[in-house]
């Protein structure tokens, strides 16, 4: 059974940086193609996409984080990352990683993912 565990969340000031990690258990990225993504849920709002990455390394980002966030993965470590720079108060949210076996066409579609982590909180103060 595949399980995802996020870490790296915390508090930062506007303009600062944080790096999130998502460790995958029960999956082997070096042998099986997975699409993976980061989503976030601001306080009182619904879950929204942030960035996604396919098995072949191609990526997609929502416009609000382009140029500030970078998604990457280390197949050997079965770990997904999200480097967040130039943080803004509106980036405050619970951040979740998600995975789906295969090469997804629409990386940022929430319904495409069948495995989710429990989330890690990111709080950005002005």
């Amino acid at each position: 059974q595949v399980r995802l565990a996020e870490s790296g969340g915390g508090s930062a000031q506007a303009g600062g940086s944080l790096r999130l990690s998502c460790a995958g258990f029960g999956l082997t990225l070096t042998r099986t193609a997975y699409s993976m993504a980061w989503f976030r849920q601001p306080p009182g709002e619904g879950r929204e996409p942030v960035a996604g990455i396919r098995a072949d390394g191609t990526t997609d980002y929502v416009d609000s984080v382009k140029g500030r966030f970078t998604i990457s993965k280390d197949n050997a470590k079965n770990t997904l990352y999200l480097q967040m720079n130039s943080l803004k108060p509106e980036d405050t949210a619970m951040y979740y990683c998600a995975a789906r076996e295969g090469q997804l066409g629409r990386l940022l579609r929430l319904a495409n993912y069948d495995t989710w982590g429990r989330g890690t909180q990111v709080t950005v103060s002005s």
Side-chain angles (χ1 to χ4, degrees):
Q1 184 176 358
V2 177
R3 183 172 66 86
L4 303 174
E6 302 94 338
S7 62
S11 298
Q13 289 194 326
S17 299
L18 285 172
R19 188 194 195 204
L20 305 184
S21 299
C22 172
F25 301 92
L27 58 81
T28 306
L29 296 181
T30 55
R31 286 189 289 171
T32 304
Y34 273 89
S35 296
M36 302 184 76
W38 289 97
F39 289 79
R40 66 187 180 186
Q41 187 163 7
E45 299 182 29
R47 199 168 297 190
E48 62 187 34
V50 177
I53 186 167
R54 298 181 181 87
D56 64 2
T58 55
T59 59
D60 199 5
Y61 297 86
V62 293
D63 287 345
S64 61
V65 306
K66 284 180 180 177
R68 301 190 299 122
F69 291 9
T70 302
I71 189 170
S72 63
K73 61 189 175 81
D74 185 330
N75 289 344
K77 295 182 178 179
N78 293 316
T79 301
L80 178 72
Y81 302 100
L82 184 68
Q83 178 66 44
M84 304 186 295
N85 298 328
S86 302
L87 283 164
K88 303 176 180 180
E90 51 263 43
D91 294 319
T92 294
M94 183 72 79
Y95 282 71
Y96 299 89
C97 67
R100 172 72 179 265
E101 187 173 340
Q103 188 89 335
L104 288 176
R106 294 177 62 184
L107 279 174
L108 302 182
R109 184 170 180 262
L110 185 149
N112 284 346
Y113 293 91
D114 56 8
T115 302
W116 293 83
R118 293 187 176 184
T120 185
Q121 178 67 38
V122 171
T123 302
V124 184
S125 58
S126 57

